[in-house]
Amino acid sequence: MPTLRSSASSSSSRPRSSSSPSSGSSPLQGAMGGGPKSLSATSSLYVNVPCDDRDLDQTSEEGGSDSLSAAEGSDFEDNLSRNMKKRAAKRPLKPTPVAKHPKKGSQMVRGHSQKRSEAPASDLFDAVKAAKSDMQSLVDEWLESYKQNQDAAFLELINFFIRSCGCKGTVTPEMFKKMSNSEIIQHLTEQFNEDSGDYPLTAPGPSWKKFQGSFCEFIRTLVSQCQYSLLYDGFPMDNLISLLTGLSDSQVRAFRHTSTFAAMKLMTSLVRVALQLSLHKDNNQRQYEAERNKGPEQRAPERLENLLEKRKELQEHQEEIEGMMNALFRGVFVHRYRDVLPEIRAICIEEIGSWMQSYSTSFLTDSYLKYIGWTLHDKHREVRLKCLKALKGLYSNQDLTARLELFTSRFKDRMVSMVMDREYDVAVEAVRLLTLILKNMEGVLADADCESIYPVVYASNRALASAAGEFLYWKLFYPECETRTVGGRERRRSPSSQRTFFHLLLSFFVESELHDHAAYLVDSLWDCAGSQLKDWESLTSLLLEKDQNLGDVQENTLIEILVSSVRQASEGHPPVGRVTGRKGLTSKERKIQVDDKVKLTEHLIPLLPQLLAKFSADAEKVAPLLQLLNYFDLNIYCTRRLEKHLELFLQQLQEVVVKHAEPSVLEAGAHALYLLCNPEFTFFNRVDFARSQLVDLLTDRFQQELEELMQSSFLDEDEVYNLSATLKRLSAFYNAHDLTRWELYEPCYRLLRKAVNTGEVPHQVILPALTLVYFSILWTLTHLSGTGASQKQLLSLKDRMVAFCELCQSCLSDVDPKVQEQAFVLLSDLLLIFSPQMVTGGRDFLSPLIFLPEATLQSELASFLMDHVFIQPGELGRGHSQEDHLQIEQLHQRRRLLAGFCKLLLYGVLEMDTASDVFKHYNKFYNDYGDIIKETLTRARQIDRSHCSQILLLSLKQLYTELLQEHGPQGLNELPAFIEMRDLARRFALSFGPQQLQNRDLVVMLHKEGIKFSLSELPPAGSSDQPANLAFLELLSEFSPRLFHRDKQLLLTYLEKCLQHVSQEPGHSWSSVTTYCHSLSPVENPAEASPQGYPHSKKRRIEGSSKQNREDISSSQEESLQLNSIPPTPTLTSTTVKTRQPLGRLEEMEEEGGSESELTQGHLLSGNQRSRFLNQHHFQTTFNPSGPGLGNRLTRLSLMEEDEEELEIQNESGEEWQDSDKHSSLSKPGLDLLDTIELNFEDF
């Protein structure tokens, strides 16, 4: 009768490694045999086959020769050495009783002649998947069936786990009796022939997503219900551990993943049981000590004896549990925590973290912590994330931090470096972990460690910046500004502590010099220190104090902090450029936002005039203070009767506007006045009167200063400054307010006319005057668009607009570059506004205003673009400034100019052929303007595909002609500039995208026009020199991959006919012609020419039926292409080429397509003239028609399928060129169910 190894077999033998698939036979058969059951603490992997004593001795020797060294240092190691013998079973296995009322659907063995149930695990698996019934009742039902028939119930449990792996195979009673553990798993592996790689733990769909939780709950409930009975029975739990351990070593990913998941969850449940046993032991020990310390008269000997027996029983149970945990840890965790599958590694790390938190006395040691420390270097995001979350749970408990000192010192550098992890969520958890270390382990993080975290408060990701802000708060602010609690309540922060907070904040921002904008620092601290930042009383008191001892930089920073905190409280979203994943605010957050807005408005309305009065002389301080009005609840001026403060604010605003001429101050002031000039407010008349007063004052000044300028031919610097400052003020207010009734167009136009005619007006005056006239035209158009305007008014506006455009055109040739750029920007905007698009939307009455520029103006706009936008890097600003921010500003200005010109092209204001001046710089200035030019090219193709392709060819022609005029035809294709032109042609080719059918006619016509251009300038008769434009064929070769196979043949024939009229030395071929012909050759792709062509990418793998349909469509369109008089080639119909076929099948396919291949080769090899310029050796080696060998067959088949393959090639990026070599590169074979299952840490 087969039995497990007896406990006396070898007390010193150690179990074999789980990596050995050929360990002895299954422990399951021992249970079925009915012999005495026993299982070692670590024997979950090792099973015995029915064998004689000789086999048993051999198995024992093998078990003693191997050892598990991967888990040295385990807390259970001492127990393991003491309990290496098999645990004795509580009772011998009795003959299987026949249940009187068996559970429906459960598998029971009633005799050798009785058939087993069809699906023994179906009911259990389906019940867990559905999760409709209570899990405890489901487990109770299984336990009841186990009591009636142990073997059938346990077999049902086994098949439940097999089914949970996604395997439809089952373990039959015969397999259970006669086959070893490895043989069972091998048999199941052979039956695991699922087409899809999905299994229950990874399958999509809501039902499968719920299955994982139900699966965990079932295991937890099973252990919980068995902890007082079956858990210590040597049969079910030990054999279940053995099964899961064997499956976890399988190469089938579904088996390995599911069994590891189940084993780790089983381990977690066992840890809970072990923790309960530990508590029971402690209680028993206290009861025993209390009873023993009693006097002789009060002491109860029977109770002492019962307590001792209870302690012995608890000790035995604990040893049993520790043996199971040790078996799971060494048999599963030690091997699977470095599995090749990241999901498995993440499961192991997550569970060991929970063990350390719940049962720290046994698991929170360095021998277990090392696994988390090592896995911090994992290359997968999810695993690193689980490590950090596990450590967060440990470091958050101050009682456990003392045991983490050695681990912290060993892995602190790694934890600090993970702040810069490329995955934002990992970096966030790393910062939060370091914050816990900062809180609970004083002095562990050095200043250098903290300084590496400080810059993260300015990160673009808000979650990361907020986590770093919390770290900064606890490091710098909390120790100095700690809020003490009195009687369990938080006491209000004292003004001194608040001042200390803002002084520390100022010190950090100014001294660190990490960033220029405090708004991002405020946003980072908002979640942890929002109450301090919303203390606007302390902020304003610091600013208004006379003896505040703050420097100029600190005052500017403090004002910026005030404005940023007000904006954050009022708007509730982070500053520009900071990414947040939230879509909106909750109702509670919106209520807080409304309350904060009311509070800040009530507090700042009386103080804003005082702040403006104090800092009115400093433009850097006044501009942000004026922005505070954007975040006020302006109705409070009315509801709280604060009109007197409004009057004070308007007075201060007028003083500020009159005093300053900086654009930032004027824009802020004009916008603040615009917010107050709302007719819905009761104080509108008062604000409108103040606005009129201010504009009257500025207009009077302008009239006086203008008369002085018009009458005199020379102005000193003060007069020029005063006039330009007045014009700037009027221009800023004209942008936000309608100043039409002050009639500023005529005087400004006279000023600009004098500037153009005489050149005596300084550019400081011209710039704001241009803007004033521009705003005047726009406001007039606004009035006419909203009402039924008369024809006279429309014509008057058009006359003004045309006159202004003529002035701007004259300014394009001005000496000052700023005037030129301003004139270009205003001219671009006006031409776009008054384009034919203005009549859309039912505004046909505005058609008299439509204005299209003449050819001279278009030419000047294009010339300006060449002179000011497409300039060599480093040329602009070389003699003025080398600072990076200035270079960036200049680049932004050039991008604005280019964007304005491109909009004129797309809206039909300029001739589309002018786009060639832009497209030809696509490659050279790709880093600066690539996105703008690409978008323009895309939109132009959407407007007119044919015209756009002609423009691309025109761009190449222009560049080629310029290069030819500069260097001559000799050696042209070897110049660096020509190589850049080829790169440009490659980018143009990529812009056509993967839609070959749609672009087929365009690409063919592009080749034809390019061939005509290359042969347009022939050498003199009798000369053997090549045509001057012949090198242009090399540029055309970049478009050849976009051609269909037959189009290439037709183009080769067309080129042959064109070359018949060109004289050439016999036996001499031109390299440009050879290169172009090679690009049109069907063997350009080595994968198509090679008899053993490399496997194509996955994107080419499509079903035969779809391939047939695509080729039918392709062939029908090919027949419509008529480049010359050559008869159309018959349609190719073979579509089953991509999979490897037997030789016989290849011969059949060759016979079917033989005529087509012969015709193809006939076209390629016909004609004597082609031998003059084609690479003869190339064609002879490629299209050798002789021989029926396999290589020739594959070559023919490759040629036959080229059309469909080119159609299926996808260029996802649309940016990077992929050479034909990349298409033929050997791809890695995909791993499906079988793969390598362990990783080395050198890979991390």
Side-chain angles (χ1 to χ4, degrees):
M1 181 173 59
T3 60
L4 294 174
R5 287 180 292 181
S6 63
S7 60
S9 62
S10 176
S11 60
S12 61
S13 65
R14 301 180 66 87
R16 297 184 64 186
S17 172
S18 63
S19 61
S20 302
S22 60
S23 304
S25 64
S26 172
L28 310 179
Q29 58 83 192
M32 290 297 293
K37 300 185 298 294
S38 61
L39 186 64
S40 169
T42 55
S43 65
S44 57
L45 309 179
Y46 326 107
V47 292
N48 299 326
V49 294
C51 58
D52 54 13
D53 296 339
R54 179 180 53 192
D55 295 331
L56 185 62
D57 293 338
Q58 182 179 358
T59 305
S60 301
E61 291 173 3
E62 290 176 359
S65 63
D66 296 328
S67 62
L68 276 171
S69 60
E72 292 180 359
S74 169
D75 286 352
F76 299 134
E77 199 164 337
D78 296 337
N79 295 330
L80 178 67
S81 61
R82 292 196 304 267
N83 301 311
M84 282 306 297
K85 297 181 180 181
K86 296 284 185 178
R87 297 197 303 276
K90 298 295 181 182
R91 54 181 171 76
L93 183 63
K94 298 179 181 179
T96 303
V98 178
K100 296 181 180 179
H101 302 285
K103 176 185 173 183
K104 182 179 180 181
S106 63
Q107 179 181 353
M108 302 190 332
V109 181
R110 302 181 181 221
H112 293 289
S113 63
Q114 186 173 0
K115 294 183 179 180
R116 65 179 180 89
S117 177
E118 283 295 327
S122 295
D123 292 344
L124 190 57
F125 177 80
D126 294 337
V128 172
K129 177 184 175 183
K132 293 181 180 179
S133 60
D134 183 22
M135 202 62 66
Q136 184 171 352
S137 62
L138 183 64
V139 172
D140 289 341
E141 290 180 10
W142 180 85
L143 290 175
E144 185 64 26
S145 66
Y146 181 82
K147 293 176 182 179
Q148 297 175 7
N149 191 332
Q150 296 181 7
D151 303 331
F154 186 68
L155 196 61
E156 180 184 9
L157 185 64
I158 289 176
N159 284 315
F160 163 73
F161 283 102
I162 298 299
R163 181 81 182 277
S164 299
C165 295
C167 179
K168 295 181 180 179
T170 57
V171 180
T172 63
E174 291 77 12
M175 294 169 56
F176 195 55
K177 285 182 180 181
K178 299 178 182 179
M179 296 177 66
S180 66
N181 193 22
S182 59
E183 290 173 345
I184 291 175
I185 296 176
Q186 182 179 0
H187 178 74
L188 293 174
T189 302
E190 293 173 355
Q191 291 185 342
F192 205 110
N193 55 355
E194 306 299 324
D195 297 333
S196 172
D198 292 331
Y199 44 94
L201 289 186
T202 61
S207 60
W208 293 117
K209 291 180 180 179
K210 295 179 182 178
F211 173 78
Q212 183 171 347
S214 302
F215 187 66
C216 298
E217 181 65 18
F218 175 79
I219 296 175
R220 187 194 67 78
T221 308
L222 179 64
V223 175
S224 177
Q225 294 298 101
C226 296
Q227 63 178 325
Y228 300 111
S229 57
L230 294 181
L231 193 60
Y232 309 108
D233 185 356
F235 170 57
M237 198 56 63
D238 291 348
N239 289 286
L240 178 60
I241 292 174
S242 178
L243 171 70
L244 295 178
T245 307
L247 288 173
S248 69
D249 200 37
S250 172
Q251 285 189 326
V252 179
R253 179 172 300 190
F255 281 153
R256 197 169 72 253
H257 186 188
T258 308
S259 60
T260 303
F261 181 76
M264 293 297 98
K265 294 299 179 181
L266 180 61
M267 176 81 166
T268 302
S269 301
L270 292 175
V271 167
R272 295 193 186 100
V273 175
L275 180 61
Q276 292 296 326
L277 287 175
S278 177
L279 296 177
H280 291 327
K281 281 184 59 179
D282 294 341
N283 292 336
N284 178 270
Q285 181 67 25
R286 285 194 298 269
Q287 293 175 4
Y288 178 79
E289 294 294 337
E291 189 68 26
R292 192 179 63 174
N293 291 335
K294 292 181 180 179
E297 299 178 356
Q298 299 177 350
R299 185 183 305 165
E302 295 181 358
R303 178 172 173 76
L304 285 176
E305 184 177 354
N306 292 334
L307 289 173
L308 285 175
E309 292 180 359
K310 184 66 174 177
R311 182 199 300 180
K312 184 178 179 181
E313 181 183 358
L314 290 174
Q315 182 66 28
E316 291 177 357
H317 288 176
Q318 188 174 22
E319 291 176 0
E320 293 270 346
I321 296 298
E322 288 179 354
M324 298 178 195
M325 292 192 299
N326 214 18
L328 284 171
F329 185 81
R330 295 193 172 193
V332 179
F333 179 88
V334 168
H335 300 282
R336 299 281 71 80
Y337 87 98
R338 56 187 186 135
D339 192 279
V340 70
L341 195 63
E343 290 85 350
I344 296 179
R345 303 200 298 272
I347 289 170
C348 294
I349 296 303
E350 182 180 15
E351 296 306 317
I352 196 176
S354 66
W355 306 338
M356 292 177 181
Q357 293 180 50
S358 58
Y359 198 13
S360 59
T361 55
S362 294
F363 286 96
L364 191 57
T365 61
D366 297 327
S367 58
Y368 290 100
L369 284 168
K370 64 184 180 184
Y371 296 108
I372 297 182
W374 291 341
T375 319
L376 285 172
H377 298 269
D378 196 280
K379 59 184 178 182
H380 283 271
R381 158 193 165 275
E382 186 64 25
V383 184
R384 299 195 302 274
L385 200 61
K386 295 296 183 183
C387 290
L388 293 172
K389 289 183 177 180
L391 292 175
K392 277 178 58 182
L394 300 176
Y395 281 100
S396 60
N397 190 344
Q398 290 185 349
D399 298 334
L400 304 180
T401 53
R403 307 188 206 175
L404 296 169
E405 291 181 356
L406 182 60
F407 174 84
T408 307
S409 62
R410 170 66 179 83
F411 294 101
K412 182 188 69 173
D413 294 340
R414 172 56 184 164
M415 290 186 284
V416 172
S417 67
M418 292 180 76
V419 172
M420 299 299 176
D421 196 280
R422 62 183 179 182
E423 303 291 344
Y424 281 127
D425 49 356
V426 177
V428 169
E429 294 298 329
V431 175
R432 291 173 179 170
L433 174 62
L434 293 173
T435 304
L436 291 175
I437 296 176
L438 179 67
K439 290 181 183 179
N440 300 328
M441 300 184 72
E442 185 177 357
V444 172
L445 294 178
D447 292 341
D449 300 328
C450 299
E451 289 173 359
S452 64
I453 304 173
Y454 293 157
V456 185
V457 296
Y458 300 107
S460 60
N461 184 273
R462 191 180 189 279
L464 179 58
S466 180
E470 183 180 2
F471 179 89
L472 177 67
Y473 175 79
W474 284 97
K475 175 64 179 177
L476 296 182
F477 304 126
Y478 182 79
E480 301 295 334
C481 311
E482 180 180 0
T483 303
R484 302 175 185 269
T485 57
V486 179
R489 294 184 178 180
E490 187 177 285
R491 188 178 61 183
R492 180 178 174 83
R493 293 180 177 86
S494 62
S496 60
S497 65
Q498 281 296 99
R499 290 171 179 267
T500 304
F501 172 80
F502 286 115
H503 280 292
L504 290 173
L505 188 61
L506 283 174
S507 175
F508 171 77
F509 180 78
V510 175
E511 295 177 5
S512 63
E513 297 181 352
L514 296 173
H515 206 272
D516 296 332
H517 301 288
Y520 297 92
L521 178 60
V522 170
D523 181 59
S524 300
L525 293 170
W526 193 257
D527 294 339
C528 58
S531 57
Q532 289 100 313
L533 291 170
K534 288 190 287 188
D535 188 1
W536 297 295
E537 296 180 5
S538 300
L539 266 172
T540 51
S541 63
L542 275 174
L543 288 171
L544 293 173
E545 274 186 1
K546 295 182 179 180
D547 301 328
Q548 56 188 0
N549 297 324
L550 293 176
D552 186 63
V553 177
Q554 292 176 321
E555 286 181 347
N556 291 336
T557 304
L558 201 59
I559 291 176
E560 188 175 359
I561 291 173
L562 171 64
V563 176
S564 300
S565 63
V566 168
R567 185 203 60 78
Q568 190 90 4
S570 175
E571 296 182 350
H573 60 76
V576 177
R578 177 156 286 178
V579 181
T580 176
R582 301 185 59 185
K583 295 183 178 180
L585 301 177
T586 62
S587 57
K588 182 179 179 181
E589 290 173 337
R590 284 194 295 269
K591 185 178 182 304
I592 295 174
Q593 178 184 351
V594 172
D595 295 341
D596 289 341
K597 191 170 185 177
V598 172
K599 291 178 183 178
L600 69 90
T601 305
E602 291 177 347
H603 175 71
L604 291 175
I605 279 179
L607 298 179
L608 184 56
Q610 302 178 33
L611 293 170
L612 290 174
K614 181 176 181 179
F615 300 108
S616 61
D618 195 335
E620 293 184 7
K621 299 180 178 66
V622 170
L625 287 175
L626 289 173
Q627 294 174 5
L628 286 173
L629 212 65
N630 298 335
Y631 316 112
F632 285 1
D633 184 0
L634 298 177
N635 289 311
I636 293 181
Y637 275 115
C638 310
T639 57
R640 306 298 167 86
R641 297 182 179 180
L642 300 175
E643 287 84 355
K644 62 177 181 179
H645 299 292
L646 178 61
E647 291 286 350
L648 294 174
F649 172 77
L650 293 174
Q651 294 176 8
Q652 293 298 327
L653 177 61
Q654 181 173 346
E655 293 182 8
V656 168
V657 170
V658 173
K659 188 180 296 184
H660 294 279
E662 289 78 4
S664 59
V665 178
L666 297 177
E667 290 175 6
H671 187 66
L673 194 59
Y674 170 78
L675 294 174
L676 294 172
C677 290
N678 189 343
E680 296 180 358
F681 293 147
T682 58
F683 52 81
F684 168 72
N685 293 330
R686 187 175 305 177
V687 177
D688 185 54
F689 178 74
R691 177 179 60 181
S692 300
Q693 284 185 323
L694 178 58
V695 178
D696 287 339
L697 175 63
L698 296 177
T699 306
D700 293 341
R701 284 190 179 184
F702 170 61
Q703 295 291 350
Q704 296 175 3
E705 294 164 353
L706 178 63
E707 291 300 326
E708 296 177 2
L709 175 63
M710 300 299 290
Q711 294 177 2
S712 62
S713 59
F714 175 77
L715 291 177
D716 57 18
E717 294 182 1
D718 293 339
E719 293 174 340
V720 171
Y721 174 80
N722 292 334
L723 179 56
S724 64
T726 304
L727 286 172
K728 289 178 182 178
R729 297 181 185 112
L730 286 172
S731 176
F733 276 82
Y734 217 159
N735 187 15
H737 304 268
D738 183 10
L739 308 184
T740 306
R741 57 193 176 100
W742 278 272
E743 297 180 355
L744 296 173
Y745 175 85
E746 289 297 337
C748 291
Y749 181 79
R750 289 192 293 117
L751 176 62
L752 291 174
R753 177 54 63 185
K754 179 179 181 180
V756 171
N757 294 336
T758 64
E760 298 175 353
V761 181
H763 71 276
Q764 298 94 325
V765 177
I766 297 176
L767 291 174
L770 286 170
T771 309
L772 268 174
V773 176
Y774 171 75
F775 286 137
S776 175
I777 293 175
L778 293 187
W779 278 109
T780 306
L781 177 62
T782 303
H783 290 301
L784 298 181
S785 301
T787 60
S790 63
Q791 191 75 6
K792 182 179 179 181
Q793 291 175 322
L794 294 176
L795 294 178
S796 175
L797 175 60
K798 185 173 183 179
D799 292 341
R800 288 188 173 188
M801 190 272 298
V802 172
F804 180 67
C805 288
E806 293 176 354
L807 284 176
C808 291
Q809 183 177 355
S810 301
C811 291
L812 290 177
S813 58
D814 194 272
V815 178
D816 190 88
K818 293 183 179 180
V819 175
Q820 293 178 347
E821 293 180 358
Q822 182 75 350
F824 182 87
V825 171
L826 299 180
L827 190 56
S828 301
D829 289 347
L830 278 181
L831 291 177
L832 187 62
I833 293 171
F834 288 87
S835 67
Q837 304 291 332
M838 72 182 308
V839 298
T840 58
R843 296 183 295 178
D844 296 333
F845 64 93
L846 295 178
S847 56
L849 295 177
I850 295 176
F851 175 75
L852 293 176
E854 298 179 352
T856 55
L857 179 55
Q858 295 187 35
S859 176
E860 289 193 35
L861 289 173
S863 301
F864 174 86
L865 202 69
M866 299 302 105
D867 297 337
H868 292 78
V869 175
F870 296 112
I871 56 178
Q872 292 296 331
E875 181 177 336
L876 186 62
R878 181 182 300 174
H880 302 284
S881 175
Q882 298 295 331
E883 298 180 2
D884 293 339
H885 71 277
L886 181 58
Q887 296 292 336
I888 293 174
E889 287 298 326
Q890 293 170 347
L891 176 60
H892 286 331
Q893 176 63 16
R894 296 197 300 269
R895 286 173 59 86
R896 284 192 289 267
L897 298 176
L898 178 60
F901 185 83
C902 291
K903 284 189 287 186
L904 294 178
L905 291 172
L906 297 176
Y907 280 93
V909 179
L910 303 180
E911 293 292 337
M912 188 58 75
D913 289 341
T914 316
S916 62
D917 294 328
V918 177
F919 293 161
K920 66 184 181 182
H921 296 95
Y922 185 23
N923 188 67
K924 187 175 183 180
F925 293 89
Y926 184 79
N927 293 332
D928 294 339
Y929 318 120
D931 54 340
I932 299 176
I933 300 177
K934 179 184 176 183
E935 183 67 18
T936 306
L937 180 58
T938 303
R939 298 292 183 89
R941 179 171 285 110
Q942 293 173 358
I943 296 171
D944 191 338
R945 294 169 50 248
S946 177
H947 195 188
C948 180
S949 62
Q950 295 176 10
I951 296 173
L952 296 182
L953 183 62
L954 177 61
S955 302
L956 294 175
K957 290 179 180 179
Q958 291 175 352
L959 285 176
Y960 183 87
T961 303
E962 294 173 3
L963 188 64
L964 183 65
Q965 293 176 353
E966 183 177 356
H967 296 280
Q970 299 298 328
L972 195 67
N973 53 359
E974 298 178 358
L975 296 175
F978 187 84
I979 298 175
E980 291 182 2
M981 290 172 59
R982 290 199 63 166
D983 294 337
L984 176 63
R986 187 178 298 118
R987 286 194 184 275
F988 284 167
L990 287 173
S991 68
F992 282 95
Q995 297 82 14
Q996 283 187 281
L997 285 177
Q998 297 179 8
N999 299 318
R1000 181 180 183 182
D1001 55 341
L1002 303 180
V1003 179
V1004 171
M1005 294 308 299
L1006 186 145
H1007 275 270
K1008 284 193 63 179
E1009 295 297 328
I1011 293 174
K1012 291 179 182 179
F1013 175 75
S1014 64
L1015 302 176
S1016 59
E1017 296 184 10
L1018 299 179
S1023 175
S1024 60
D1025 295 338
Q1026 68 177 22
N1029 297 338
L1030 194 63
F1032 191 79
L1033 291 175
E1034 296 190 26
L1035 303 182
L1036 287 181
S1037 65
E1038 300 296 340
F1039 295 88
S1040 298
R1042 301 294 169 181
L1043 291 167
F1044 284 95
H1045 173 51
R1046 183 172 304 166
D1047 297 341
K1048 294 181 180 180
Q1049 300 177 30
L1050 297 178
L1051 285 172
L1052 279 173
T1053 305
Y1054 178 77
L1055 177 63
E1056 174 189 348
K1057 291 187 175 182
C1058 293
L1059 286 174
Q1060 291 178 358
H1061 306 285
V1062 181
S1063 60
Q1064 183 185 8
E1065 295 181 4
H1068 183 270
S1069 61
W1070 290 320
S1071 60
S1072 299
V1073 177
T1074 304
T1075 301
Y1076 183 60
C1077 292
H1078 179 72
S1079 70
L1080 295 178
S1081 168
V1083 203
E1084 183 183 3
N1085 193 336
E1088 298 174 0
S1090 174
Q1092 302 176 358
Y1094 294 121
H1096 299 288
S1097 61
K1098 292 183 179 179
K1099 292 176 182 175
R1100 300 187 188 179
R1101 298 175 185 171
I1102 59 176
E1103 296 297 331
S1105 59
S1106 62
K1107 200 180 292 184
Q1108 177 75 43
N1109 295 335
R1110 289 191 181 186
E1111 187 156 351
D1112 291 343
I1113 297 173
S1114 171
S1115 302
S1116 64
Q1117 295 197 13
E1118 287 175 13
E1119 293 178 357
S1120 65
L1121 178 64
Q1122 299 294 333
L1123 290 178
N1124 46 38
S1125 59
I1126 297 179
T1129 305
T1131 305
L1132 302 179
T1133 57
S1134 177
T1135 60
T1136 57
V1137 184
K1138 295 202 172 181
T1139 57
R1140 294 187 177 182
Q1141 302 288 347
L1143 184 58
R1145 176 59 180 158
L1146 292 175
E1147 292 175 355
E1148 295 175 4
M1149 295 171 64
E1150 181 187 10
E1151 291 176 1
E1152 293 174 0
S1155 60
E1156 299 158 1
S1157 301
E1158 292 170 2
L1159 179 59
T1160 301
Q1161 295 177 9
H1163 283 311
L1164 290 175
L1165 297 177
S1166 63
N1168 298 325
Q1169 294 87 350
R1170 186 174 304 176
S1171 60
R1172 295 185 303 164
F1173 57 89
L1174 295 184
N1175 189 331
Q1176 188 70 22
H1177 175 71
H1178 170 74
F1179 282 97
Q1180 287 175 354
T1181 57
T1182 304
F1183 299 105
N1184 183 10
S1186 62
L1190 179 60
N1192 186 43
R1193 294 191 187 97
L1194 290 177
T1195 302
R1196 293 183 183 180
L1197 295 176
S1198 299
L1199 294 177
M1200 291 164 62
E1201 69 172 319
E1202 182 182 9
D1203 285 344
E1204 63 178 353
E1205 288 181 352
E1206 289 188 350
L1207 177 61
E1208 293 160 9
I1209 293 174
Q1210 302 292 327
N1211 187 356
E1212 293 180 352
S1213 64
E1215 294 290 337
E1216 299 297 334
W1217 171 254
Q1218 297 181 357
D1219 293 328
S1220 58
D1221 295 339
K1222 295 184 180 179
H1223 292 304
S1224 61
S1225 62
L1226 184 61
S1227 60
K1228 293 184 178 180
L1231 297 178
D1232 188 9
L1233 294 176
L1234 302 178
D1235 51 17
T1236 305
I1237 59 174
E1238 288 192 2
L1239 287 176
N1240 294 324
F1241 278 100
E1242 289 77 3
D1243 298 334
F1244 289 167

